[in-house]
Amino acid sequence: MLNAPSAIDPGLFGPFNGRTWLNAAHQGPLPRAAAEMAHEMVAQKQAPATLPDESFFELPARLRASLGRLIGAPADEVILANSTSYGLDLLAHGLDLKAGDEVLLVDGDFPATITPWLILGPLGVRVRRLTPERRPLSAEQVARQITPATRVLCCSWAFSFTGETIDTAAIGQVCRQRQVTFVLNGSQAVGAQPVDVSAMGMDALVSCGFKWLCGPYATGFCWLTPKLRERQAYRQAYWLTQMHGTDLSVEIPDSIRNHQHAEQYDVFCTANFLNFAPWLASIELLLGIGIGHIAAHDQRLVQQIIDAIQGTSWRLVSPARPDERSTPVLLEHDDQAVTQATAHALAKQGIDIAQRAGRLRFAPHLYNTPAEIENAMEIVIAQTPA
Ligand SMILES: Cc1ncc(COP(=O)(O)O)c(C=O)c1O
């Protein structure tokens, strides 16, 4: 299998200047097509006469449509954002939580999933973190942890520090039965795993665009079920979303035109050409290859990492089971000196991974090849005491 040609052309990305990037869980690299688009957008900004008025409307519309395709939702249910946090902040303000209500979070989750809810503490809302009894967190434990006060469960789909993926459909079912709003942070999975919001069981999905979706930094999106959107206590009326047609001459409406539409909640300045045009190019590239195809490719590389440490003193922190793991793979060693020496040796050989909580995190994606993983794991094994 190692010699089989990769079905995904690694030349769509780079140049990586001789290095191997195994850290999509931190930042996904811009594909070449997106980098070209970024250059085009810079040129337009240098000579603004080349920027047509209509593009202020067309770019957000095209991005919304692509994101809709990506997550299996109608385009008009997609909120354009600049981060994961944008959607979480919107919900923390918009869910109209009151003193005595409870937001349930998960211990060990990424800080971005936790901190937006902390603003509710001074209002008397209890923000409680449950500790998973096993990993991945089970729907059965969620059912036991929900109390009559629980209004929201918010957690990651794939966990940054452990690499596990939760069963969103099972947890979503428990939440639905108990009338708890289920908010899912998809930042460590969207782009690496197929998404179908109607089958996955959550009420809200938030994600950044700069990891597995390979967009520029400061990109993201949010999706809410129409029912949840209608419940939002918070409203916005950004002028570009209130205009009729694609004419920039100011015809100010008397009332909010689209207060039931997702676009009402878009981050301001959605015609963010320098970021959103390249991001759109990245998403279109990924969709063209097929997210299912990318997931299969990535998971083959993940399996290669798991297989390579069998019988060694490295411990797999992430679950081994394909239905419980994600694309970040976390490895742990009892001896921190071995961990440090391995990280150092990888970096020296031009292989970029992350160190998180004393563990090594490998995060391969579509531009990586089996040969790169083989090389990386040979370095890991060479640093491992017999
Ligand atoms: C799970 C998770 N959520 C969110 C983020 C980033 O949040 P934001 O897009 O708001 O900066 C990260 C990583 O940086 C992450 O790992």
Side-chain angles (χ1 to χ4, degrees), residues 77-117:
E77 291 182 7
V78 174
I79 297 169
L80 303 179
N82 58 9
S83 57
T84 318
S85 302
Y86 181 86
L88 292 169
D89 183 69
L90 200 67
L91 288 158
H93 284 96
L95 287 175
D96 204 19
L97 299 173
K98 304 269 195 301
D101 289 344
E102 179 183 80
V103 175
L104 201 52
L105 306 171
V106 176
D107 230 1
D109 210 334
F110 192 80
T113 322
I114 308 282
T115 60
W117 304 102

Side-chain angles (χ1 to χ4, degrees), residues 45-201:
K45 185 64 184 164
Q46 283 177 300
T50 56
L51 188 63
D53 282 1
E54 300 78 55
S55 51
F56 284 82
F57 300 93
E58 282 168 10
L59 175 61
R62 286 183 54 208
L63 180 57
R64 204 184 310 280
S66 273
L67 286 166
R69 270 178 67 208
L70 179 78
I71 65 170
D76 64 8
E77 291 182 7
V78 174
I79 297 169
L80 303 179
N82 58 9
S83 57
T84 318
S85 302
Y86 181 86
L88 292 169
D89 183 69
L90 200 67
L91 288 158
H93 284 96
L95 287 175
D96 204 19
L97 299 173
K98 304 269 195 301
D101 289 344
E102 179 183 80
V103 175
L104 201 52
L105 306 171
V106 176
D107 230 1
D109 210 334
F110 192 80
T113 322
I114 308 282
T115 60
W117 304 102
L118 301 181
I119 58 163
L120 301 171
L123 304 181
V125 174
R126 184 172 183 219
V127 180
R128 180 164 65 93
R129 294 185 218 174
L130 68 84
T131 305
E133 292 159 355
R134 59 173 281 264
R135 291 198 172 271
L137 171 70
S138 69
E140 184 265 321
Q141 189 188 354
V142 171
R144 274 187 283 114
Q145 290 283 340
I146 288 173
T147 72
T150 311
R151 297 282 168 271
V152 177
L153 170 72
C154 176
C155 66
S156 284
W157 180 13
F159 281 70
S160 301
F161 304 136
T162 52
E164 90 246 27
T165 309
I166 56 165
D167 182 344
T168 63
I171 291 177
Q173 191 181 10
V174 166
C175 289
R176 222 168 15 260
Q177 282 162 355
R178 308 285 287 274
Q179 273 130 44
V180 169
T181 300
F182 180 23
V183 179
L184 190 68
N185 178 353
S187 291
Q188 288 294 4
V190 177
Q193 295 288 341
V195 180
D196 176 357
V197 289
S198 52
M200 284 175 62

Side-chain angles (χ1 to χ4, degrees), residues 54-384:
E54 300 78 55
S55 51
F56 284 82
F57 300 93
E58 282 168 10
L59 175 61
R62 286 183 54 208
L63 180 57
R64 204 184 310 280
S66 273
L67 286 166
R69 270 178 67 208
L70 179 78
I71 65 170
D76 64 8
E77 291 182 7
V78 174
I79 297 169
L80 303 179
N82 58 9
S83 57
T84 318
S85 302
Y86 181 86
L88 292 169
D89 183 69
L90 200 67
L91 288 158
H93 284 96
L95 287 175
D96 204 19
L97 299 173
K98 304 269 195 301
D101 289 344
E102 179 183 80
V103 175
L104 201 52
L105 306 171
V106 176
D107 230 1
D109 210 334
F110 192 80
T113 322
I114 308 282
T115 60
W117 304 102
L118 301 181
I119 58 163
L120 301 171
L123 304 181
V125 174
R126 184 172 183 219
V127 180
R128 180 164 65 93
R129 294 185 218 174
L130 68 84
T131 305
E133 292 159 355
R134 59 173 281 264
R135 291 198 172 271
L137 171 70
S138 69
E140 184 265 321
Q141 189 188 354
V142 171
R144 274 187 283 114
Q145 290 283 340
I146 288 173
T147 72
T150 311
R151 297 282 168 271
V152 177
L153 170 72
C154 176
C155 66
S156 284
W157 180 13
F159 281 70
S160 301
F161 304 136
T162 52
E164 90 246 27
T165 309
I166 56 165
D167 182 344
T168 63
I171 291 177
Q173 191 181 10
V174 166
C175 289
R176 222 168 15 260
Q177 282 162 355
R178 308 285 287 274
Q179 273 130 44
V180 169
T181 300
F182 180 23
V183 179
L184 190 68
N185 178 353
S187 291
Q188 288 294 4
V190 177
Q193 295 288 341
V195 180
D196 176 357
V197 289
S198 52
M200 284 175 62
M202 63 281 189
D203 300 291
L205 174 68
V206 297
S207 178
C208 64
F210 55 83
K211 295 182 189 288
W212 304 93
L213 285 173
C214 299
Y217 188 61
T219 52
F221 75 89
C222 173
W223 168 86
L224 313 183
T225 60
K227 210 163 133 202
L228 181 60
R229 208 170 62 231
E230 283 158 25
R231 266 182 48 207
Q232 289 296 294
Y234 171 71
R235 300 245 175 264
Q236 287 178 182
Y238 173 53
W239 71 278
L240 267 174
T241 65
Q242 299 304 315
M243 306 289 285
H244 295 275
T246 58
D247 186 352
L248 283 181
S249 44
V250 181
E251 185 202 320
I252 305 170
D254 293 324
S255 58
I256 295 181
R257 168 175 87 74
N258 51 358
H259 72 116
Q260 299 294 3
H261 295 195
E263 69 179 353
Q264 180 203 168
Y265 293 107
D266 284 353
V267 65
F268 303 145
C269 283
T270 37
N272 176 352
F273 300 105
L274 297 191
N275 263 357
F276 278 2
W279 187 30
L280 175 61
S282 299
I283 296 168
E284 285 182 348
L285 178 79
L286 268 55
L287 285 172
I289 295 168
I291 303 294
H293 189 49
I294 293 169
H297 172 92
D298 289 0
Q299 285 306 312
R300 268 199 303 275
L301 302 181
V302 165
Q303 189 61 50
Q304 215 184 319
I305 296 168
I306 295 173
D307 290 346
I309 59 152
Q310 293 309 307
T312 74
S313 44
W314 285 96
R315 226 180 357 267
L316 180 67
V317 176
S318 326
R321 279 177 48 171
D323 60 332
E324 294 187 343
R325 72 192 189 206
S326 60
T327 327
V329 187
L330 280 292
L331 305 184
E332 194 169 55
H333 199 280
D334 283 339
D335 187 347
Q336 268 302 306
V338 173
T339 306
Q340 294 308 321
T342 307
H344 182 71
L346 285 165
K348 207 165 153 216
Q349 300 289 324
I351 298 169
D352 296 303
I353 60 153
Q355 285 193 74
R356 294 287 183 269
R359 298 160 177 166
L360 302 186
R361 187 179 68 190
F362 294 73
H365 203 14
L366 67 161
Y367 40 81
N368 293 123
T369 64
E372 287 178 332
I373 303 297
E374 191 175 345
N375 183 30
M377 298 319 288
E378 274 171 11
I379 295 166
V380 172
I381 300 306
Q383 295 297 321
T384 311

